[in-house]
Amino acid sequence: MALLKEVKENYGKLKLYIDGEWVESQSTEIYESVNPTTGVPIATFPSATEAEVTRAVESAQAALQTWKDVPVRDKARYLFDLRQKFEEHNDRLCRILVQDHGRTIGEARGTLRRCIENIEVACSALLLLTKGDYINELAKGLDQVMYYEPRGVFLIITPNNIPMHAWSSYVPYALASGCPVIVSPSKEDPVCAQAIFEVTQEVKGFPPGLMNLVYGGRNINEQILSHPHVKGVGFIGSTGVGLKLFSQAGGLGKEASINGNGKNHVVLMPDADMNAAINGLLRGSYGMAGQRCLGSDNILIVGDGYEKFRDAFLEASANMKMGYGLNEETELGPLVSQRGRQNVLDFIEKGIKEGAKLILDGRNPKVEGCGNGFFVGPTIFEDVDPDMHIAREESFGPITNLIKVKDLDEALELINTKDDYGHSACIFTKDGRVARKFTKQADVGNIGINVAVPQPYAFFPLGSKNASAQGCAKSRIDSMRLFLDQKTVTDRWV
């Protein structure tokens, strides 16, 4: 099958988007964005200057005063228009996501559908969750009203693994709540951020400054969050960075929604449908080249049947087609950056040194036509001790550990005690009693029953726990709690 066409071979020097205008940065600190499949640069972009960051915050603050007075029905219409613009630009955004990030076109199409769903849910949230409460005649002649109000300007930080999905997990809800945003994307895939802002600027009705885009990553995030006009941060990324942001926000008395790492487990019970489990685990283990917080890190095989599952999963994994994601036959793309690839290679070396047995080696795969890409193939370890580093920390690559356990209780103990995270856990079984016990006892925020990727729909929160999340709200619809504040009015007229 022929490759789909790239939107552009090179996107040139990217600009900032401030106060409704594309701005040529005065910064001398310039970075390159590289196509991870080819290793070829496709854009350059600046780290915003201090003055440019200040201008972005001030424009957002000015937009707050305008946007909060826009009637609710008009806000809803503009958000519905935004949804339509994403539909119109769907194919273009998908191809840019493949080119800038490295995922497959099928994964990109799934991502854009999740983005559109988030906008749809934000439209619903605007109409249903911002109404407030009212009690008439609370006491003799006394009424009481509770209003929701936008807190103010927010910093939204998007990671390199889900640059578009993360944007949609916060920004539409911020707009629905009345809050302007400053978006600070990862340095690894800035073209994705530019593409989104090219779409949002087409919506007639959004005031200038409602959404601002500045590059620079950690270099500017602290400055933005420290600004008096900025009321908090929505973040998806590593737990280490998230905890620093959480601490900074807390020290400043600001709100935070922090979504961090996970070390996820999938339990295979003896009665599991083997074919269904393997099909799900191929996606769970290797989807997005393993760069996902919902990935299948540790596969816990209960009782007999270990060898049968291992051999079948090994064969299926080894036969995955790697290549450029714009080829619709490609099943596994590259890591998003050379640094990410090296981190994954180091993780594999760590597992070998710890004594785990490498039964499928994804290092140095031969990928036709992509010799300079950042590829790591499907990688499987067995003889993995649950106390090993590779069993407790997220690899963020296409790596899976196979671990034997004697029963469900041992699996649950491993899930609940061997790492600090609490992101996700899944089980494959035909027994409803087993599934119910697993759901109640696994100390994680996202549970999958006979699915390997327990992705909550947009109108549910991403329910991570423990070291996987901090703050007053989760992402997606739950972020309405991040962006909205409450005001009560008690009045007496008689």
Side-chain angles (χ1 to χ4, degrees), residues 215-465:
Y215 303 110
R218 298 181 193 180
N219 296 347
I220 63 170
N221 292 340
E222 183 176 344
Q223 178 192 347
I224 297 171
L225 188 53
S226 297
H227 196 287
H229 289 331
V230 176
K231 301 304 180 184
V233 57
F235 169 84
I236 299 175
S238 73
T239 292
V241 174
L243 286 172
K244 291 178 182 178
L245 285 166
F246 186 56
S247 177
Q248 182 189 0
L252 294 167
K254 301 186 178 187
E255 304 295 335
S257 170
I258 305 296
N259 297 261
N261 295 107
K263 188 63 178 179
N264 306 324
H265 303 76
V266 180
V267 178
L268 265 63
M269 298 301 293
D271 66 340
D273 183 323
M274 184 77 72
N275 291 331
I278 289 174
N279 289 335
L281 286 165
L282 290 176
R283 177 170 172 251
S285 299
Y286 312 124
M288 293 167 47
Q291 300 164 118
R292 68 194 318 169
C293 58
L294 286 160
S296 306
D297 298 288
N298 293 333
I299 303 176
L300 313 181
I301 301 97
V302 176
D304 298 332
Y306 173 86
E307 287 76 13
K308 181 180 178 182
F309 169 79
R310 178 198 61 196
D311 295 345
F313 185 61
L314 181 63
E315 180 181 4
S317 300
N319 287 329
M320 292 191 74
K321 180 177 175 58
M322 303 179 68
Y324 199 171
L326 289 176
N327 183 334
E328 297 208 41
E329 294 181 349
T330 296
E331 298 174 286
L332 178 59
L335 279 300
V336 71
S337 68
Q338 179 58 44
R339 181 181 64 174
R341 178 178 183 272
Q342 188 57 55
N343 288 342
V344 172
L345 294 178
D346 291 344
F347 192 91
I348 295 172
E349 289 296 330
K350 179 74 171 176
I352 294 170
K353 290 179 180 178
E354 287 183 307
K357 183 179 179 181
L358 187 62
I359 60 173
L360 183 60
D361 189 350
R363 297 172 295 179
N364 302 313
K366 301 296 186 291
V367 185
E368 185 178 352
C370 304
N372 294 320
F374 310 139
F375 287 89
V376 175
T379 299
I380 302 175
F381 280 105
E382 69 174 354
D383 296 341
V384 177
D385 188 292
D387 289 317
M388 289 179 177
H389 174 85
I390 64 168
R392 293 182 292 104
E393 294 296 334
E394 188 177 44
S395 70
F396 222 57
I399 300 173
T400 294
N401 302 317
L402 307 184
I403 302 175
K404 299 178 184 179
V405 293
K406 66 178 183 293
D407 54 27
L408 179 60
D409 288 333
E410 183 180 353
L412 285 166
E413 182 181 6
L414 191 157
I415 291 167
N416 293 339
T417 66
K418 292 300 182 179
D419 61 65
D420 296 327
Y421 303 113
H423 196 290
S424 308
C426 303
I427 189 168
F428 282 83
T429 182
K430 297 175 184 176
D431 190 329
R433 292 171 299 177
V434 167
R436 189 170 189 272
K437 176 178 179 178
F438 183 81
T439 299
K440 291 172 67 69
Q441 295 186 17
D443 188 24
V444 299
N446 303 287
I447 295 286
I449 308 297
N450 295 320
V451 297
V453 182
Q455 176 78 264
Y457 197 87
F459 48 64
F460 287 102
L462 188 66
S464 307
K465 298 172 63 175

Side-chain angles (χ1 to χ4, degrees), residues 86-318:
F86 267 76
E87 290 282 14
E88 292 172 7
H89 291 279
N90 193 322
D91 178 68
R92 175 176 173 271
L93 291 171
C94 285
R95 286 183 285 136
I96 289 174
L97 181 56
V98 171
Q99 185 183 10
D100 197 31
H101 173 270
R103 67 184 62 192
T104 69
I105 189 65
E107 292 166 344
R109 288 168 180 156
T111 289
L112 264 296
R113 187 48 49 194
R114 301 291 87 74
C115 291
I116 291 167
E117 288 165 358
N118 268 315
I119 299 171
E120 291 170 345
V121 173
C123 292
S124 301
L126 168 63
L127 298 171
L128 296 176
L129 300 183
T130 63
K131 293 189 299 184
D133 288 309
Y134 176 76
I135 294 181
N136 182 45
E137 204 73 11
L138 176 64
K140 186 63 177 177
L142 189 72
D143 304 329
Q144 200 160 69
V145 181
M146 188 276 288
Y147 294 98
Y148 284 115
E149 292 185 333
R151 291 188 192 274
V153 177
F154 273 79
L155 167 64
I156 306 299
I157 302 173
T158 60
N160 64 22
N161 64 321
I162 50 170
M164 292 184 178
H165 193 182
W167 177 92
S168 76
S169 294
Y170 282 115
V171 174
Y173 302 103
L175 304 188
S177 302
C179 295
V181 296
I182 299 138
V183 178
S184 174
S186 164
K187 294 179 183 177
E188 308 292 1
D189 32 31
V191 180
C192 291
Q194 176 185 261
I196 284 178
F197 273 77
E198 288 172 349
V199 173
T200 63
Q201 72 172 348
E202 293 186 10
V203 178
K204 306 303 181 185
F206 288 157
L210 183 64
M211 288 175 279
N212 302 273
L213 171 64
V214 291
Y215 303 110
R218 298 181 193 180
N219 296 347
I220 63 170
N221 292 340
E222 183 176 344
Q223 178 192 347
I224 297 171
L225 188 53
S226 297
H227 196 287
H229 289 331
V230 176
K231 301 304 180 184
V233 57
F235 169 84
I236 299 175
S238 73
T239 292
V241 174
L243 286 172
K244 291 178 182 178
L245 285 166
F246 186 56
S247 177
Q248 182 189 0
L252 294 167
K254 301 186 178 187
E255 304 295 335
S257 170
I258 305 296
N259 297 261
N261 295 107
K263 188 63 178 179
N264 306 324
H265 303 76
V266 180
V267 178
L268 265 63
M269 298 301 293
D271 66 340
D273 183 323
M274 184 77 72
N275 291 331
I278 289 174
N279 289 335
L281 286 165
L282 290 176
R283 177 170 172 251
S285 299
Y286 312 124
M288 293 167 47
Q291 300 164 118
R292 68 194 318 169
C293 58
L294 286 160
S296 306
D297 298 288
N298 293 333
I299 303 176
L300 313 181
I301 301 97
V302 176
D304 298 332
Y306 173 86
E307 287 76 13
K308 181 180 178 182
F309 169 79
R310 178 198 61 196
D311 295 345
F313 185 61
L314 181 63
E315 180 181 4
S317 300

